[in-house]
Amino acid sequence: MNEQEAFTEPLCELIKLCGLPFQKKKLSDEISYSVAVSKSIAQLGYLMRVPSSQVRIQICKCVVSFYNMELPRKLLSGYQPTSANYKIQMAELGGLAETLVLSLALVENQLTEKLWVLKALQHLSSSGINCRLMMKAQAASRLCLYLNGVDPSGQLVFRSSEILWNLLENTSKEVVNQLSSLECVYALKEVFVDLLMHGFRHYDRQLRNDLLVIAMLLAQNPAAPMIESGFTKLLIVLATFTEVKIPNPLVKGLKLTYSYEDFELKKLLFNVIGFLSKDPRAVQLLSENDVMPALLYYVKPNQKPGFHDWSAAQYEELQLHAIAILASVAPLLIDKYLSCQANTLLLVFLEWCIGQDPFFGQGNSFHGRGGRGNKLAQMRYSLRVLRSVVSLHDDAVNLNLCDQGAISQLLDILKYAANKSKEKEDAILLEIQANILFLLSVLCENDLHRKELFSYEGVDILIPFIQMDPKKLYSGLGHNCLLFCALDCLWSCVVGCYIAEDCFLEKQGIFLLLDLLALKQKNLYSTILGILVEFCDNPKTTSHISTWRGEKDQTAANLLIQLWRQEELELGVKRDRYGRIVDMKRPIASSLQKQQEVVPMPASCPSFAIMEISENIRAKIYSLLCKLGFENLPGLSAKDFVTLAIIEHYIDFKVGEVWRELCAELKEEFRPVTPDEEALKFISKVSEDTGRMVATLQTEVLESQHHKEIQEEEKMYTKIQAIHKQREIVNKSWENFLTRTSNYEALKKAKRLQEKSVEASRSKLKTQNGAVHSTDIKGLSTTIGSGRLVTVQSTPPQLVGGPLAVTDPSVCEGALKKIKRVKMLDSVKKDSVPVE
């Protein structure tokens, strides 16, 4: 080829043959000949060095044919074609893509050849392996520099951008790094502006949006010189010029239509602002180019679209997108936020969201999720904006909100959302409620007047959140977050204001908190205990805590001691099987604390013993029991009293730990003087003595309990013996009864004894002038008590006026007649003689 051009045509024919499918005899031939085939295909890339346009174009056509492989019409006898992807795989194995990228330098000034190479690379870049090979040859930066080349057909930009997109999908981070040079950013900016200003075709607008996505990815890379190139400022101006209507030379003569491509452009520009808000260097540009007024333009009630305007669904999507971006931008531009009266706009907009305006959201977009047929999406993102600015704890912002009645309005919205949630509970409504509770927490914190404003309605609204069904905490919708926000709101808006606290106590709020604590949800312990400790400053609280009873009549003191034991178990504090102190020197030290080496620290830095206080709940439990008192606590077992002895001396043990750390740090640095050393030893001894004293007390408690258990056991045995003795008496009585029944002599003997006993029991005094009635039943041959048989006889005439005399004849006519009534109610025993 270098000597004679006559070889050009035959070489092209040979290259054309390489585009045809290979034939194989065996199935294993594809693997057996893979090395030879991959090397032969790699030679195609090396042939790009031949200085012939015809050869180079034919090579590119051959590569393109790999992806449009057609089976031959006639098959050779004994052969069959290879699989359709065989050549593509061999091209990957031979590194053809990398060679073609390098060959771009050879065809830099030949447009036709360059376009063919790009077409071949466009096909090759569909593979992740080829993309990685191309990146080795700096494909991204090479292609980006070609974007603004002269090409009347427009294929250069199209094919280059397509290859860049394929590279981004497979190796995004490396592509962004290669495009982050100043030359690449300038080239990308120039071609983007050209398409923006002069591209009127549908195809041009699509290509413009594709390049904007690449620019958006570059904006996320701090190393990319987007600001230095002026690209950042251009994008910000493009995002805001239709809303602020301020003339800018950068967009002079630019008109956006309401086509779908321009709608996508608008959304992409909003996204760019969102990414730029994360770059501190771009904040000044956002402030100078009226981003805040442009975004606030959409914070207004939706209106019916005009004829030449966005559709209702498109406007809603842009509105929600703008408000979502505002949540990221507002905290950065707080002065602009206040000067634009953004708080007022947002509160008015929220008022519209809960109003009766007949607006029905489309809910088609990402940001419109859950907002179809309602205004929940608008409410959700507006509250996110308020949350982002209130989180700054800026006094000016919070005062501005409260002066406009935000607390009352937020409570109304919370009530509205809570009612909606009763109809249908979803993640969006839960997020709305959680955000409102958070806003109220920040606004009312450390301000007594605002807490009083909250207390009039807020406590009633807050109670149902604390009464939440525990099963919902595992639903995954966000009930956990909502409960935390409710507890935070309780802590910030109620605690510290006696009016609100009394209202909460009247509604049995302390009982609800203890019920929640009894669920043993570890992530709630710290917050609930902290609230209870703060509440105990109110003198009415302790009686509520003492009155509370949980399951199986559990008391608050018992619950707190159980939590203490559970916490110590997780911390790895050493205790014996009865819960007594084992290590007298470090009675409450955790396993991690014992492993910690002594590190000398400045006086301003808290030591490990101090830091440990905030990392577990023991200090809060100790504080709460201090408020309740350590004496006369109901519902405690001996094991509880053993633990209570440790809790009562928690602060003494903690002081001992701090002194121990101090001694260790001193020994690391220098030796204390003798008086100081003696003082330190004495302090250490006091701490150890306290541990021994508590251990002794615990032993006494256990011994007392053991003695009590023995006494109770003896009582139980005595009771059992009495029961057995009674059973023996009953059994003996039954045996005597059987004896009397079966032995007539024994029955007569028993009868005589019974009669003697009856006779002995009778009074010896005789009745004067009175009738004597026999109490014996004649003919009775039993020794058991008789049945209910009564014989009533009249009083003899000579004793009229006696005890049985009837003075009034009308009371009972025929009283002198002998009446004999026999009523047998109980069955006669087996040894009884029948009675008539």
Side-chain angles (χ1 to χ4, degrees), residues 95-112:
L96 178 61
E98 183 179 1
T99 309
L100 286 180
V101 172
L102 293 172
S103 70
L104 282 171
L106 301 173
V107 297
E108 190 170 352
N109 298 319
Q110 287 81 31
L111 180 61
T112 305

Side-chain angles (χ1 to χ4, degrees), residues 38-322:
S38 63
K39 286 183 178 179
S40 67
I41 290 178
Q43 290 297 324
L44 290 174
Y46 301 145
L47 284 174
M48 290 295 292
R49 291 175 292 182
V50 176
S52 169
S53 175
Q54 190 176 353
V55 172
R56 290 169 176 169
I57 291 172
Q58 187 58 51
I59 291 171
C60 294
K61 287 181 178 179
C62 179
V63 173
V64 171
S65 69
F66 293 174
Y67 294 86
N68 301 309
M69 193 66 66
E70 293 182 3
L71 293 175
R73 294 178 182 176
K74 292 184 180 180
L75 297 177
L76 296 174
S77 177
Y79 290 88
Q80 58 181 342
T82 57
S83 58
N85 293 328
Y86 183 64
K87 280 194 173 183
I88 297 173
Q89 294 170 2
M90 294 301 102
E92 292 173 354
L93 189 61
L96 178 61
E98 183 179 1
T99 309
L100 286 180
V101 172
L102 293 172
S103 70
L104 282 171
L106 301 173
V107 297
E108 190 170 352
N109 298 319
Q110 287 81 31
L111 180 61
T112 305
E113 297 171 29
K114 188 193 294 186
L115 290 176
W116 271 106
V117 173
L118 290 175
K119 185 175 182 180
L121 286 172
Q122 187 179 350
H123 283 84
L124 289 169
S125 64
S126 61
S127 160
I129 296 173
N130 284 335
C131 285
R132 286 187 284 276
L133 291 170
M134 291 166 67
M135 290 304 297
K136 289 181 180 179
Q138 301 293 311
S141 57
R142 289 173 185 269
L143 293 168
C144 190
L145 293 174
Y146 295 149
L147 284 174
N148 56 353
V150 179
D151 176 23
S153 67
Q155 289 189 49
L156 184 63
V157 179
F158 168 71
R159 297 198 184 280
S160 298
S161 63
E162 282 292 315
I163 298 170
L164 284 173
W165 264 104
N166 290 338
L167 292 174
L168 281 168
E169 287 179 359
N170 292 285
T171 56
S172 59
K173 190 175 181 180
E174 296 175 25
V175 174
V176 171
N177 290 335
Q178 286 191 18
L179 294 179
S180 294
S181 65
L182 189 61
E183 295 80 6
C184 289
V185 174
Y186 267 121
L188 188 63
K189 176 188 172 186
E190 287 177 14
V191 69
F192 174 75
V193 171
D194 182 64
L195 289 169
L196 182 69
M197 296 296 186
H198 307 109
F200 300 103
R201 296 176 299 175
H202 174 74
Y203 159 81
D204 293 332
R205 290 170 180 161
Q206 282 186 331
L207 192 55
R208 172 201 65 191
N209 291 350
D210 291 344
L211 293 177
L212 180 56
V213 174
I214 296 174
M216 184 173 66
L217 295 174
L218 285 177
Q220 299 178 56
N221 184 16
M226 294 287 289
I227 296 175
E228 293 81 352
S229 65
F231 206 175
T232 298
K233 184 174 182 180
L234 173 65
L235 295 176
I236 293 173
V237 171
L238 283 173
T240 60
F241 86 101
T242 56
E243 287 83 11
V244 295
K245 309 292 184 184
I246 297 176
N248 194 306
L250 293 175
V251 290
K252 187 177 180 180
L254 174 63
K255 290 184 179 180
L256 293 180
T257 64
Y258 296 103
S259 64
Y260 178 76
E261 289 74 25
D262 286 346
F263 172 68
E264 289 294 320
L265 173 70
K266 194 70 180 174
K267 291 196 298 179
L268 289 171
L269 290 169
F270 281 162
N271 273 336
V272 170
I273 292 178
F275 290 124
L276 291 175
S277 66
K278 299 173 184 177
D279 186 355
R281 301 172 302 163
V283 174
Q284 187 64 29
L285 289 173
L286 294 174
S287 178
E288 292 172 354
N289 291 283
D290 300 306
V291 170
M292 184 62 65
L295 295 175
L296 288 172
Y297 170 82
Y298 292 95
V299 184
K300 61 183 179 181
N302 297 36
Q303 299 173 353
K304 291 183 180 180
F307 183 73
H308 298 291
D309 205 345
W310 303 116
S311 67
Q314 286 178 326
Y315 178 81
E316 183 186 16
E317 189 170 348
L318 288 177
Q319 179 191 51
L320 294 172
H321 201 160

